[in-house]
Structure formats: C-alpha cells, structure tokens
Amino acid sequence: MGAHAEQAEGGEQPRSVRVVLFALMIAMLLAMLDNMIIGTAMPTIVGELGGLEHLSWVVTAYTLATAASTPIWGKVGDMYGRKGAFLISIVIFLVGSALSGMAQDMGQLIGFRAVQGLGAGGLMVGVMAIIGDLIPPRERGKYQGMMAGVMAFAMILGPLVGGTITDHWGWRWSFYINVPLGVVALIAVTAVLHLPKTTADRSWRRVDFLGAALLTLGITSIVLVTTWGGTEYAWDSSVIMELTAIGVAALVGFVFWETRAAEPVMPLHIFRSRNFSLMSAIGFVTGFVMFGAVLFLPLYQQSVQGASATNSGLLLLPMLGAMLAVSMVAGRVTTGTGKYKVCPVVG
C-alpha cells in the first residue's frame, strides 16, 4: 500500500498505469508463450537439427534457468529497483530469443534457451512485483486474474501460433516473433513506468550468494535426475544416485542456510502462512500436470496420430479456452466480493 500511495502522490495517471499494465501483459505473454510455441515446433526442430535424445533439454534448459534465477531476480529488484531489473530481464530474454533462432545444432539451441530462461525468470517475478507496487491489495485480484488470463491465452495461442509459424515460415520464427513484442514492452516500460526509489541496502555483501548457489545446485541436480533417469542412465545407476544425493544435500543445506542468512534469497518464514504454503503446493501440482500435457501432447499428436503442427495446436483449444475464461471470471469475482477461497476449491 505504501508504494501505491507514493505512486498516487507522484501523480501517476490512470492512462499511464494502463500503458504499464499493457506492457506487463506483453512481458508475461513473452515468458509463457515461448514454451508453448516450442511444443508444436519441436518435431520440426529435431528433424532439422537432429539430437532427438536431447529433445527434453530444449524445454528443461529454459525452465531450469527460469526456476533458478527467479528468486535472484526478486532480490536484485528489491536492492536496485524493480524497473531496472525488469528492463534488464527483457533485454536478456530478447537476446536469448534471437540467438535461439540462429542456432545451428541442438547444443547451441539448448544453451541459448538457457539464456532465454534467465530473462524469463526476471519477467515473471518483475510483473508480479510491479503490480504489487502499483495496485492496492483489494484491486490486485482483478489484475492478477488478467495476468492469469494472459498465461492461459499464451497456452491457447502458443501451440496454434507455433504450428502455423512452423508450417509456413519455419521454426526459427518461433523465436524471432518474440523480438518485436519485447521491444514494444521495453519502450513502454522505459517511457511510462515510474516507481518510488528503493531505500534498500545496495551492498553486494547483502546478497545471499551461497543460498542462490545451493538452490541452483539442488534444482539442477533434481532436474537432471528426472531427465536422465530411465533414459540416459538406469534409475539405480551410480550417476543417478550421486545426483540424487547432491540434490537432496544441496536443498537441505539451502534450508539450513536460509534460517541464518542476513538477507535470505528465499525467506522461509513466508511458508508459515498456511494459505501461502497450500497455494504453492496447488500451483506445483497444477503446473506439473498442465505443462506436461501442453508440451508432450502436440508431440504425440504429430508423431503418432499424424496431425500437422497447426492441427496439434487446435486440438488443445478446448482445455485452454476454458482456462482463459475461468481465469478472467475468478479474478473479477475475487476483486468484487473480497472472497477467494471458493475459486481454488471449485477449481
């Protein structure tokens, strides 16, 4: 509320807020749209670049970099200001997109997708943090519902756009399409967004580098286990066992360190809130099912059922269309009534 009050006192006009929100919606669209587009383009990419055995890494590199960088982007935004961190994340994402479109082999594509993921982590945390600065708590349900609608829209549009672009322009434009959208968001945020200056301690000694390193190591090890287990290596192989031990040890060490760090990258006290912990668990399970379906169903539909890239996108529309509609309605209901428990319960 303090940030919003200062924003209002600074003379922020409703039109300016709308322009910023439009830019934030584009940024969220970029972060979510990319993985959805790649789902329907992957069979064609593998056909041209080869490396079928590394197929999952095109997605894994992106999501891994996003997961590992998200808490770090949040801390950088707290220390140096959300606007600057957000703009840098957009630039990194666009550079990764352009490089991914120019990749000449699967190894390059995986590496450039990781660069994209680093930027995407900043996009998603930046959008939510800036909304928190601009919008009072009672109104946030409506705008967060809009952002959830954008996510669902990206999931609807992504497979269809990815299939259409792949069929008519080639898979490289699945990445190049991000550039003009990102430039629009970059210009709008630079010109219109004005946030109160941060008063946080900017000393790099306050950054929880050890916590960030332990979290990254733990997440990376667990992702490698789930990616390689049963394919590259047997589940009971020494490699998988070692990675499991490293991942568990790193995450346990992370939890231990976060209780002692002066400025923890992920304050554990937030999990004392039952609502926060419950919604985090529900979000994990929902994302687990939803992203698995959206990413692998197009591959099955094209490779096994013989659907074209465009048609495999169309086949996902019923599920994703319902998500878009309900996200918008739920946000409006939450803002209008102040009651939110009914939405996840019914969902």
Side-chain angles (χ1 to χ4, degrees):
M1 282 294 288
H4 179 265
E6 292 180 34
Q7 190 72 23
E9 291 172 5
E12 183 73 53
Q13 298 299 317
R15 182 176 178 275
S16 298
V17 174
R18 287 197 298 270
V19 172
V20 170
L21 289 171
F22 175 71
L24 295 181
M25 291 171 69
I26 292 177
M28 181 64 78
L29 183 66
L30 286 173
M32 295 299 302
L33 187 64
D34 201 71
N35 259 347
M36 303 302 105
I37 286 179
I38 296 306
T40 48
M42 276 311 302
T44 304
I45 293 174
V46 171
E48 181 173 328
L49 299 182
L52 179 61
E53 67 276 13
H54 303 303
L55 169 67
S56 61
W57 272 104
V58 177
V59 176
T60 300
Y62 181 90
T63 53
L64 178 59
T66 300
S69 66
T70 294
I72 299 172
W73 278 114
K75 189 64 178 178
V76 170
D78 288 342
M79 292 178 58
Y80 292 94
R82 306 199 196 285
K83 180 177 179 179
F86 189 58
L87 291 174
I88 292 172
S89 68
I90 294 176
V91 172
I92 293 175
F93 183 85
L94 295 183
V95 169
S97 297
L99 292 174
S100 295
M102 294 185 284
Q104 299 301 309
D105 57 50
M106 191 62 80
Q108 290 183 12
L109 180 59
I110 291 170
F112 296 146
R113 287 280 288 163
V115 175
Q116 267 192 305
L118 289 175
L123 291 182
M124 289 190 281
V125 73
V127 167
M128 294 304 176
I130 291 172
I131 287 178
D133 282 344
L134 289 177
I135 308 299
R138 180 59 187 267
E139 295 293 320
R140 287 176 197 163
K142 177 172 64 176
Y143 294 101
Q144 289 176 345
M146 290 170 59
M147 292 302 164
V150 170
M151 295 169 66
F153 180 69
M155 293 174 188
I156 294 172
L157 192 66
L160 185 57
V161 169
T164 303
I165 289 175
T166 302
D167 285 342
H168 296 91
W169 295 352
W171 65 267
R172 295 183 186 276
W173 279 97
S174 298
F175 297 104
Y176 294 149
I177 195 70
N178 293 329
V179 177
L181 290 173
V183 169
V184 171
L186 198 64
I187 293 173
V189 171
T190 301
V192 180
L193 179 61
H194 304 288
L195 295 174
K197 292 184 178 180
T198 179
T199 58
D201 185 347
R202 296 186 178 186
S203 171
W204 282 106
R205 291 174 296 179
R206 308 287 291 180
V207 179
D208 184 15
F209 288 112
L210 179 57
L214 288 170
L215 179 62
T216 302
L217 178 62
I219 292 175
T220 301
S221 299
I222 297 302
V223 170
L224 287 174
V225 168
T226 56
T227 303
W228 286 348
T231 54
E232 298 283 336
Y233 303 96
W235 284 107
D236 58 353
S237 67
S238 60
V239 173
I240 297 300
M241 293 296 102
E242 289 170 4
L243 283 172
T244 301
I246 291 171
V248 172
L251 293 177
V252 170
F254 171 75
V255 172
F256 176 80
W257 174 251
E258 292 303 277
T259 61
R260 288 158 176 75
E263 293 286 341
V265 70
M266 183 183 292
L268 298 183
H269 66 79
I270 60 177
F271 291 98
R272 294 174 186 167
S273 168
R274 291 173 56 190
N275 287 349
F276 179 85
S277 298
L278 180 60
M279 289 301 102
S280 296
I282 291 175
F284 172 78
V285 174
T286 303
F288 190 92
V289 175
M290 180 176 61
F291 283 107
V294 171
L295 290 171
F296 286 100
L297 276 176
L299 183 63
Y300 171 78
Q301 290 158 350
Q302 292 178 55
S303 302
V304 178
Q305 296 182 324
S308 68
T310 303
N311 286 338
S312 68
L314 290 171
L315 289 169
L316 295 178
L317 286 181
M319 176 184 74
L320 301 175
M323 287 177 56
L324 174 61
V326 173
S327 294
M328 300 298 290
V329 172
R332 292 281 182 176
V333 169
T334 301
T335 298
T337 64
K339 298 179 180 180
Y340 55 85
K341 184 177 180 179
V342 64
C343 296
V345 170
V346 173

